[in-house]
Amino acid sequence: MSDTKAPSSAATMPGRTGFGRAVALVRTAIYSVVATLVFIGLSIVCSPALLFPPKPTRWLLRFWTSTDLWILRLVVGQKIRILNPENIPEGPALVGSKHQSAFETLALVPMLPKGAIILKKELLKIPLYGWYAAHYGMIPVDRSAGAAALKQLAIDAQKALDDGMQIVIFPEGTRQPLHAPPDYKPGAIFLYDKLKVPMVPVALNSGVFWPRGGYAKYPGTITVSFLPAIPPGLPRAEAKERLVAAIEQETERLVREAVAEAGKG
């Protein structure tokens, strides 16, 4: 599947046009300004931490993301609900998450204190953010490198596991519109096969409140659901089938639930 946009339930939800959209745009603009200023301020004040080993300073990124999410809740009205927290891994694991918005790149950091997120190599070039992401141990991937990128990704992921981290990957590679057909890339299953650790599927409905391709963010409760782990050692085809089924079925349920709840309001 290409990156074709699918019809979005969010676009037809109550309060998404006229006055409701205008209010959302204003609140989003306030959030963006405040969050950016806070990030720049924290990055500058805490910059000496970049001179120290990453382990004792990893709490800084978790503190920043938690602060950003608090601002998001205070200004925009976006709350967070975590389902099945008992499935959040404590030991070595690969976490495969649905990706609908930038929300999960923030929220999964405090939810997974030992998580090392796989991200585009280009993001490490962003001043301040890239410096901290690299120092923290986020894992860059060069999408243009083909098979070589997967080999290097496996090496870097194994090093992160050996360092006590957990690997967080977005199996579809990029943000997907609501109800878009599944478009799972080979990276997640490749790592599952190489790393020999459990893989925890994660479903969510962030795209309802933080629509892909749009600026406005809308109030509501974003739900993140941690699903039972897929045990290591399964054939690749079976592991992928279980991963896709778990994420897609739960994500569709969470989206329907969010749209129905908004309709009642």
Side-chain angles (χ1 to χ4, degrees):
M1 187 203 86
S2 64
D3 200 26
T4 303
K5 292 187 177 181
S8 170
S9 299
T12 59
M13 288 175 61
R16 301 297 170 92
T17 58
F19 180 74
R21 176 171 170 76
V23 171
L25 286 169
V26 171
R27 296 173 79 177
T28 300
I30 295 173
Y31 157 74
S32 298
V33 171
V34 174
T36 299
L37 291 176
V38 169
F39 170 67
I40 293 174
L42 284 175
S43 298
I44 294 173
V45 170
C46 298
S47 58
L50 296 173
L51 302 175
F52 294 90
K55 277 189 176 181
T57 60
R58 281 175 177 154
W59 65 270
L60 286 173
L61 192 58
R62 297 194 293 272
F63 175 74
W64 164 62
T65 51
S66 296
T67 301
D68 195 292
L69 293 169
W70 178 79
I71 298 170
L72 188 66
R73 174 171 181 162
L74 183 68
V75 177
V76 177
Q78 286 188 358
K79 305 172 186 176
I80 300 173
R81 178 178 64 152
I82 300 176
L83 293 184
N84 313 309
E86 68 276 7
N87 291 326
I88 297 177
E90 296 183 0
L94 177 64
V95 178
S97 174
K98 188 68 176 177
H99 196 13
Q100 293 181 338
S101 77
F103 166 85
E104 44 271 17
T105 63
L106 295 171
L108 289 177
V109 173
M111 290 181 191
L112 297 163
K114 296 185 288 185
I117 298 177
I118 295 174
L119 42 71
K120 294 185 297 183
K121 183 180 71 172
E122 292 80 6
L123 293 178
L124 296 187
K125 298 178 182 179
I126 299 175
L128 296 179
Y129 172 81
W131 305 343
Y132 281 94
H135 185 70
Y136 183 89
M138 299 304 185
I139 302 173
V141 60
D142 184 356
R143 293 180 176 178
S144 64
L150 287 179
K151 293 180 181 179
Q152 186 59 49
L153 182 59
I155 294 172
D156 293 340
Q158 186 61 60
K159 288 180 180 178
L161 286 177
D162 295 341
D163 194 35
M165 302 293 283
Q166 297 163 338
I167 311 304
V168 182
I169 187 171
F170 300 113
E172 293 176 280
T174 188
R175 293 170 294 166
Q176 295 295 319
L178 294 178
H179 310 304
D183 185 24
Y184 286 64
K185 304 297 189 293
I189 299 304
F190 176 82
L191 285 181
Y192 165 82
D193 187 57
K194 293 294 183 182
L195 299 178
K196 311 298 182 187
V197 295
M199 178 164 53
V200 178
V202 177
L204 42 79
N205 60 7
S206 58
V208 175
F209 309 98
W210 190 325
R212 176 183 180 272
Y215 177 72
K217 300 170 181 58
Y218 297 92
T221 300
I222 297 176
T223 301
V224 180
S225 180
F226 289 86
L227 303 167
I230 299 170
L234 297 178
R236 289 192 185 191
E238 181 180 350
K240 180 178 180 179
E241 182 179 356
R242 292 178 60 167
L243 177 70
V244 174
I247 292 178
E248 294 302 315
Q249 290 174 16
E250 179 71 348
T251 292
E252 190 60 32
R253 185 186 74 82
L254 295 177
V255 169
R256 288 198 308 267
E257 178 185 85
V259 172
E261 188 64 28
K264 293 178 183 178

